[in-house]
Amino acid sequence: MEIGGGASLDHDIATQILRARGVEDGDLERNLNPTLRGFLPDPAEFRDMGSAAGRIAQAIIAEEKITIYGDYDVDGATSSALLILLLRDLGIEAEYYIPDRLLEGYGPSGEALVKISEGGSSLIVTVDCGAMAFDALEQANDAGVDVIVVDHHKCAAELPKALAMVNPNRLDENDEAASHGHLAAVGVAFLLAIELVRTLRAQSFFETRDEPNLLRLLDLVALGTVADVAALHGLNRAFVAQGLKVMAKRENVGMSALIDASRLKRAPQCSDLGFALGPRINAGGRVGESTLGVRLLTTQDAEEAREIAQQLSALNEERRLIEASVQEEAEAQLTKQHNRAIPVLAGKGWHPGVIGIVAGRIKEKIGKPAIVIALDEENGEGKGSGRSISGVDLGAAIIAAREEGLLVAGGGHAMAAGLTIEAARLDQFAEWLDNRLAAQVTKASANQETTLDLAVAPGGLTPELVHQLDAGGPYGVGWPGPRVAVGPVRLVKCDIVGTDHVRLIASGDDGRSFKGIAFRAAESAMGQALLHGSRGRKLWLVGRTKIDDWGSRLQAELHVEDAAWAD
């Protein structure tokens, strides 16, 4: 990393942040305050949206039994909860089905769909799954089951047999709908909710009852969007910005209990959704009971909500221990795959519920995509999960590998993918993946340079600066938080906290000091330099600014991501 002479700013820092992210001057106002009115498309633009809304409206009016079939992650739980709460407001107490990750795996199974139908449901809506469920949906279709698919994962040229397939990533989508391919499934579900209410309104359904307040569901949309690592630009920024406002009101009983269980003493921020609330919901599907997330987010009983939230917190701690064990074994294999563009790491006995997290950790460590596979000795297959970097479309590659017969099943989106593979094909698959994606990885890795938004002296790192920078948010994937360089500084104190976090206090020539922390960095080259090579030397520290609100006085701190010597 090289540090220049600082940035040239006018008086409005947030405006400069937006310009640095490609916002034209004529679009600044809309992006400074992202609202649904400013970004919401017409849901009717999406293929099959009218058919889906029409069929659900028919079921509501006829008081049919409806079942929501969701995925076991946060996006699936929030998508399911959104439709369940909406249908409840419309007079239908929908049932739900969340498959067990270990026993059933990802996506709908034909057996489960037929069984749900035999139980009395005349309509099944799958959320966050179904885009590639060819066999399952064909089996349901043959049995006469009406299935609507609401998904965001990549699709093949041919679509499964469903009554309706609402997915902005359909290859036959029009340009307007396809431009929203970055939506999480919960965002697509919210658009369906809008179209459903509009359809019912046209049929005079609300002449004798109030229309549901869809804005109250935005806390679910925000949580699912951030937890699924969906790109935070355009409509997604509006979803999250407005959803955080709804979340602060704590009107959803389960969401309120989740916030308390996460030990948050303030209104949740965008980062809390990904690092505090989301992992707890995910823990149910990873190492516990898959239905816990939906139960929590749809309950109206405060005591039940408190008990489920506590259970999810305990499962999250258990998940961390399992994850650490799998990660240690997976990293031990890295040395043998250092020449691969994408390491494919596989082990027997690894818990399938944590492989996605471990893949993400390894991706962060090596700066390249990674795939982690849990092998089952009994059936000779492995369940795998991959995480990618910007510029490498992992989901498309996994779909292509499935179509070429290398995988039993597989799908996903650009940044994350899942797969099922015969153990005997591991080496062949790894070689194929390298040949397909090596050029993309090389190009993407070459572009992974540290870019800066601002450079300040230590005295300039203040709570006021943090608030000004936050005005350009919410930040996340596709809309990165401002990266600030602070320096030159000398380290007054530097040590390890927790297992591998580097904690420091830095002081500058202006006599001001600040706290910083580099997460999971103790064994990295940067971490080792900070811990052992920085005595007496001046350096620049680069990272994201945060508010430290633990003490009686608010202070600004730096979450360090990079460092460079100043002399």
Side-chain angles (χ1 to χ4, degrees), residues 327-350:
Q327 183 171 345
E328 182 180 359
E329 294 184 31
E331 288 187 357
Q333 298 182 18
L334 278 175
T335 56
K336 299 179 181 179
Q337 298 195 32
H338 64 279
N339 290 326
R340 286 204 180 280
I342 299 179
V344 177
L345 313 168
K348 298 175 182 177
W350 290 358

Side-chain angles (χ1 to χ4, degrees), residues 125-414:
V125 183
T126 75
V127 287
D128 196 30
C129 59
M132 298 290 290
F134 290 93
D135 293 341
L137 292 178
E138 183 171 6
Q139 186 173 343
N141 181 74
D142 291 344
V145 183
D146 282 353
V147 180
I148 293 171
V149 175
V150 180
D151 204 354
H152 70 130
H153 292 97
K154 287 186 176 293
C155 297
E158 180 184 355
L159 296 175
K161 293 181 179 179
L163 183 70
M165 170 73 71
V166 184
N167 185 337
N169 286 304
R170 288 176 54 154
L171 297 182
D172 61 347
E173 261 300 4
N174 63 68
D175 291 343
E176 170 62 22
S179 69
H180 290 86
H182 63 295
L183 295 181
V186 69
V188 182
F190 186 80
L191 295 180
L192 174 59
I194 295 173
E195 186 66 18
L196 173 59
V197 169
R198 185 159 60 183
T199 300
L200 289 169
R201 186 187 305 127
Q203 298 181 23
S204 303
F205 183 79
F206 298 112
E207 287 186 353
T208 57
R209 63 189 306 148
D210 294 333
E211 289 194 14
N213 181 1
L214 297 182
L215 297 182
R216 294 179 62 183
L217 301 172
L218 286 175
D219 54 351
L220 296 170
V221 182
L223 177 56
T225 297
V226 174
D228 211 52
V229 203
L232 289 192
H233 58 78
L235 180 57
N236 277 346
R237 288 189 68 236
F239 277 152
V240 175
Q242 302 307 317
L244 286 170
K245 296 177 183 178
V246 174
M247 198 175 293
K249 298 178 182 178
R250 297 176 67 131
E251 293 180 349
N252 183 301
V253 173
M255 191 76 75
S256 180
L258 185 64
I259 294 169
D260 289 340
S262 301
R263 297 186 292 277
L264 293 177
K265 303 300 182 183
R266 48 165 172 72
Q269 301 170 356
C270 187
S271 58
D272 297 321
L273 308 188
F275 293 103
L277 306 186
R280 285 171 166 78
I281 296 290
N282 256 335
R286 293 188 184 280
V287 298
E289 182 184 338
S290 60
T291 62
L292 287 175
V294 177
R295 285 174 53 198
L296 174 67
L297 297 173
T298 57
T299 185
Q300 297 172 304
D301 185 322
E303 180 58 26
E304 180 186 25
R306 186 187 66 81
E307 292 176 356
I308 295 175
Q310 288 180 346
Q311 185 178 356
L312 286 171
S313 288
L315 287 170
N316 194 44
E317 292 301 317
E318 180 183 343
R319 184 269 307 168
R320 287 177 177 172
L321 295 175
I322 297 172
E323 172 196 328
S325 175
V326 173
Q327 183 171 345
E328 182 180 359
E329 294 184 31
E331 288 187 357
Q333 298 182 18
L334 278 175
T335 56
K336 299 179 181 179
Q337 298 195 32
H338 64 279
N339 290 326
R340 286 204 180 280
I342 299 179
V344 177
L345 313 168
K348 298 175 182 177
W350 290 358
H351 197 298
V354 302
I355 54 176
I357 302 176
V358 173
R361 299 280 192 229
I362 291 175
K363 177 206 74 172
E364 293 173 5
K365 182 172 183 176
I366 64 177
K368 298 190 298 185
I371 292 178
V372 178
I373 299 173
L375 297 176
D376 188 329
E377 292 185 86
E378 292 186 6
N379 63 16
E381 290 186 346
K383 298 288 187 181
S385 187
R387 296 294 182 269
S388 194
I389 60 176
S390 296
V392 180
D393 191 336
L394 187 59
I398 294 301
I399 291 174
R402 174 185 177 275
E403 292 175 343
E404 291 196 20
L406 293 170
L407 302 175
V408 176
H413 47 81

Side-chain angles (χ1 to χ4, degrees), residues 339-342 367-369 388-394 397 430-448:
N339 290 326
R340 286 204 180 280
I342 299 179
K368 298 190 298 185
S388 194
I389 60 176
S390 296
V392 180
D393 191 336
L394 187 59
E431 190 69 28
W432 180 92
L433 200 63
D434 252 26
N435 291 334
R436 180 182 175 94
L437 295 180
Q440 287 187 36
V441 173
T442 299
K443 182 179 179 180
S445 298
N447 293 332
Q448 286 186 337

